[in-house]
Amino acid sequence: MQNLLEIRRRLHQIPERGFEEWKTKKLIEETLASFPQQHLEVFSWRTGFIVKIKGTHPTKTIAWRTDIDGLPIEEQTGLSYASQHAGFMHACGHDVHMTVALHLVEALAERPAKDDVLVYFQPAEESPGGALPMLSWVKEQHPELVPDEFYALHVAPELPVGVISTKPGILFANTSELYIDLHGKEGHAAFPHRTTDMSVAAAHLLIQLQSIVSRSVDPLQPSVVTIGKMTSGTVQNIISGHARLEGTIRTFDAAVMTQIKERIEAICRGVEAAFDCRVAIDYGSSYHQVYNHHELAEVFRDFAVQDPDVTYSEAKEAMTGEDFGYFLAGIPGVLFWAGAQTEYGLHHAKMAPDEAMLPVTAQFVERWIRSRAE
Ligand SMILES: CC(=O)N[C@@H](CCC[C@H](N)C(=O)O)C(=O)O
């Protein structure tokens, strides 16, 4: 393989939307083709695939997962190797995740472990979620590719390079996307009485949604309702007949997710009555919480604490979402953070992981997976 830096930069330049990662898939395939092939077997699924690296004397199967999609964000890092896809960026570190996964495949292709290792290249983590359909396909078509243990990492901008961080039990939240369309009656700006203004209705709805976490949910239950995008209207002198709110809901408790959705529906019915309009709710895709296996997370912690090249730090739960949670719902394993030391957080247009994390993290992952597959 070219060095880690080079492959990561090439991946960084071609971020693609979930389930449209064709260039990414081609580049990964080309890279895989440069590895020794003797122990490799590749199973293709949509824009992703699973690489099996056959072990020398397998008795179990250990899996590693990387996500491969980018985000609809216009990159503002100013890097020489910035995204070449206008409006798309690897702002969640999936280029780093893929590079680490490729290093793992290469290392095992050259010197296989005792057990079989699977590396999942999973599409569409950001949206609409590739883990659940990929897992269904595996269970139906290739049950032999359901591993005994499953691991993955996520870059952590706020942690220094070399820091590895996780915890047993819940790590990331349950999520549900949220799309709300408000349909009213468009008309001339000078004749508001002949219209039903969806900008005003959407503004009221946005404020009322903020009362759910602050006034309906038990304050001891962590939850988030975020509207990240709000659009309405066409031009300055036409009253808007359509507005749209796009957001996400996060909870640790599945019952709280249900409660929040019930409140959203009630508030929307109220807005319909108050503003004489029709409000349609779509929950898009939802992700299962990331729940680390207690025993394996402790084994992982002991391993990382004793590894001289990394520093272990116990994580706190976060309201982040990750569809890796679907894999961990049925297969024991661990998701952990890997320090990327950058000023800007995940999903920021200037998020630029310190590339010094690449060798440190890739080699740590190789050591960890070998330790589980020996
Ligand atoms: C690690 C990370 O940032 N993950 C995303 C997952 C998105 C889930 C879904 N599309 C949603 O918005 O609910 C995150 O935003 O936490």
Side-chain angles (χ1 to χ4, degrees):
M1 179 167 80
Q2 310 110 325
N3 63 43
L4 296 178
L5 212 88
E6 195 183 327
I7 189 72
R8 185 258 158 168
R9 290 182 176 195
R10 289 184 67 194
L11 288 163
H12 187 80
Q13 288 178 318
I14 54 166
E16 294 166 291
R17 195 189 292 278
F19 288 127
E20 294 174 14
E21 307 98 330
W22 296 108
K23 282 194 205 169
T24 306
K25 180 168 184 164
K26 189 162 175 283
L27 179 52
I28 295 171
E29 270 169 346
E30 284 167 13
T31 309
L32 291 173
S34 71
F35 301 160
Q37 297 297 302
Q38 197 187 348
H39 307 285
L40 299 189
E41 202 175 341
V42 178
F43 301 82
S44 187
W45 178 75
R46 298 184 69 167
T47 46
F49 40 80
I50 299 171
V51 182
K52 177 175 181 177
I53 309 107
K54 284 171 247 164
T56 53
H57 300 88
T59 54
K60 61 184 185 311
T61 304
I62 306 299
W64 179 261
R65 173 275 209 166
T66 176
D67 32 24
I68 67 170
D69 54 321
L71 276 161
I73 293 177
E74 186 69 43
E75 181 163 351
Q76 290 172 25
T77 59
L79 291 166
S80 60
Y81 55 88
S83 169
Q84 293 176 349
H85 289 178
F88 283 87
M89 177 186 173
H90 272 301
C92 202
H94 299 188
D95 50 343
V96 172
H97 302 174
M98 286 186 271
T99 304
V100 169
L102 284 167
H103 168 82
L104 181 63
V105 177
E106 182 177 37
L108 292 166
E110 285 170 357
R111 184 168 66 84
K114 178 181 87 48
D115 288 318
D116 291 339
V117 175
L118 303 172
V119 180
Y120 278 54
F121 291 84
Q122 179 220 300
E125 185 275 328
E126 296 293 351
S127 189
L132 194 57
M134 191 173 201
L135 188 57
S136 302
W137 168 74
V138 166
K139 284 181 175 167
E140 280 164 25
Q141 304 291 325
H142 292 284
E144 76 281 9
L145 299 181
V146 177
D148 297 294
E149 295 175 21
F150 222 140
Y151 300 97
L153 68 75
H154 205 291
V155 299
E158 63 289 351
L159 295 179
V161 169
V163 170
I164 297 295
S165 181
T166 192
K167 65 180 284 294
I170 192 153
L171 186 70
F172 289 177
N174 296 286
T175 77
S176 171
E177 295 176 2
L178 174 62
Y179 303 96
I180 304 178
D181 284 286
L182 298 94
H183 301 278
K185 196 170 159 203
E186 190 180 86
H188 196 292
F191 305 100
H193 55 294
R194 295 180 193 152
T195 72
T196 50
D197 185 344
M198 290 307 97
S199 292
V200 174
H204 279 265
L205 175 56
L206 179 75
I207 299 299
Q208 289 182 32
L209 291 175
Q210 300 313 306
S211 73
I212 298 176
V213 173
S214 68
R215 286 296 171 269
S216 299
V217 176
D218 178 344
L220 298 181
Q221 289 285 354
S223 53
V224 168
V225 177
T226 290
I227 299 299
K229 183 174 175 186
M230 186 167 164
T231 48
S232 183
T234 48
V235 291
Q236 134 279 345
N237 60 351
I238 296 178
I239 287 173
S240 168
H242 174 247
R244 181 170 166 88
L245 273 54
E246 300 184 19
T248 179
I249 313 165
R250 312 286 166 105
T251 70
F252 284 156
D253 186 329
V256 177
M257 178 65 77
T258 306
Q259 183 198 2
I260 289 177
K261 287 182 175 177
E262 283 168 3
R263 286 302 305 144
I264 289 172
E265 284 150 30
I267 288 171
C268 286
R269 299 295 78 86
V271 167
E272 279 184 328
F275 295 93
D276 189 17
C277 60
R278 187 169 62 79
V279 181
I281 304 167
D282 175 4
Y283 292 114
S285 57
S286 53
Y287 294 177
H288 193 278
Q289 64 185 21
V290 172
Y291 195 92
N292 284 334
H293 189 270
H294 277 264
E295 205 177 300
L296 290 176
E298 278 161 20
V299 175
F300 177 83
R301 175 171 52 203
D302 293 346
F303 181 87
V305 164
Q306 282 165 23
D307 190 308
D309 292 343
V310 300
T311 305
Y312 181 80
S313 144
E314 191 78 356
K316 287 199 174 116
E317 307 83 332
M319 300 310 282
T320 335
E322 243 288 359
D323 65 353
F324 188 64
Y326 284 118
F327 291 121
L328 293 188
I331 303 163
V334 175
L335 176 78
F336 61 90
W337 292 109
Q341 185 81 72
T342 152
E343 195 181 334
Y344 299 98
L346 297 174
H347 296 196
H348 195 286
K350 292 187 177 171
M351 207 278 294
D354 183 338
E355 289 181 317
M357 79 169 298
L358 290 169
V360 179
T361 312
Q363 285 156 22
F364 170 76
V365 167
E366 181 191 343
R367 288 193 291 278
W368 166 247
I369 293 297
R370 283 194 189 281
S371 79
R372 298 308 301 164
E374 294 295 348

